[in-house]
Amino acid sequence: MKEQNDKKIESQETKKEELYSLAKKRMSEFIKTNYKDIEQIDYTNDYEVNPMGGIEINGYLNGNNKKEIWGIYDKGNDKVISFTVDATEKTECENKICQY
């Protein structure tokens, strides 16, 4: 039983890591599409998966840890549903979220 439990835990961790990788990819696409002067996006490893299947991620922009980003990626809808980005929006994305 311990072996089965260990395999189950390992499988869950692998799924979380895969979701985190997908969330980082989609968050990066979202930020680069909607904000100006984004050269680099770094993510911290303190992500959290919520019971509804979304994942909360944190990071910073252009190597400056004071330029923080935060977002929740919803896998079911394949989009960032809530976010804070310390950057200037592109003109065409000021009043709406541009497609990414």
Side-chain angles (χ1 to χ4, degrees):
M1 286 189 67
K2 181 181 179 339
E3 185 177 330
Q4 287 177 337
N5 187 49
D6 290 347
K7 284 182 181 179
K8 181 179 177 183
I9 290 171
E10 184 178 320
S11 175
Q12 289 172 341
E13 288 302 314
T14 299
K15 287 179 183 177
K16 282 182 183 179
E17 289 174 13
E18 289 172 358
L19 179 59
Y20 182 51
S21 291
L22 178 60
K24 289 190 299 186
K25 178 181 182 257
R26 295 297 284 152
M27 185 74 169
S28 294
E29 292 169 349
F30 168 77
I31 291 171
K32 288 178 180 178
T33 300
N34 287 278
Y35 294 88
K36 295 179 186 177
D37 303 320
I38 305 300
E39 297 172 15
Q40 178 182 338
I41 301 171
D42 296 297
Y43 294 96
T44 60
N45 285 325
D46 60 337
Y47 64 91
E48 187 174 320
V49 178
N50 69 36
M52 299 298 286
I55 183 167
E56 182 178 327
I57 56 178
N58 301 288
Y60 54 93
L61 302 171
N62 299 332
N64 181 349
N65 61 4
K66 294 183 186 207
K67 291 277 199 182
E68 296 179 337
I69 59 171
W70 168 87
I72 296 176
Y73 170 72
D74 178 17
K75 183 181 178 189
N77 292 311
D78 190 33
K79 64 182 176 179
V80 177
I81 58 172
S82 187
F83 55 90
T84 302
V85 179
D86 187 6
T88 304
E89 292 174 316
K90 291 181 178 176
T91 306
E92 64 272 19
C93 303
E94 286 179 351
N95 296 319
K96 63 178 180 140
I97 295 175
C98 291
Q99 293 295 318
Y100 55 99

